[in-house]
Amino acid sequence: MERDEDFRRNDREIDTHFSNDDGYLEETAAEIAEPYQASRDRVDRRERDQVGDDSGSKGIGYTALAIAIISLFVLPVLLGVAAIVVGYIARRKGAHALGAWSIGIGIVSVILGIFITPFF
């Protein structure tokens, strides 16, 4: 009990030493850094994706298409899934038509490999 009274007495003594006219006992600070603008970053990323990085997108697209066509004849499930993944990457890089064809042929190859080929 005596400790509680000592703490209360010390708190009162500390509070009385402050002489603020407005009555606030808070410390505030101003931010120095520039505020982050997410919308501008998103626009910059879209422009960079559309305009800039076309290096290798057609090469990846043709590679995906080659894997998809080969998957029709050899290891249809494994190479079909690989064609779908590489086709998706090609579409993200900018080779939309090649990527779409690779994904489509890869899906057909996987379906043929899983459902139709076991019956022959």
Side-chain angles (χ1 to χ4, degrees), residues 6-76:
D6 288 337
F7 285 129
R8 288 182 192 149
R9 189 172 348 117
N10 288 338
D11 286 342
R12 277 190 227 123
E13 289 174 7
I14 292 172
D15 286 342
T16 59
H17 292 298
F18 290 111
S19 61
N20 275 344
D21 294 333
D22 53 357
Y24 293 105
L25 299 175
E26 297 173 355
E27 181 178 339
T28 60
E31 293 294 328
I32 297 173
E34 179 182 350
Y36 176 72
Q37 296 178 355
S39 62
R40 184 177 64 193
D41 184 47
R42 191 178 323 137
V43 170
D44 290 344
R45 190 178 322 133
R46 282 186 196 153
E47 289 176 2
R48 186 176 52 237
D49 287 345
Q50 290 175 357
V51 175
D53 220 357
D54 196 24
S55 62
S57 64
K58 287 194 176 188
I60 294 172
Y62 283 123
T63 303
L65 188 62
I67 292 171
I69 292 172
I70 292 170
S71 73
L72 291 171
F73 304 106
V74 179
L75 299 172

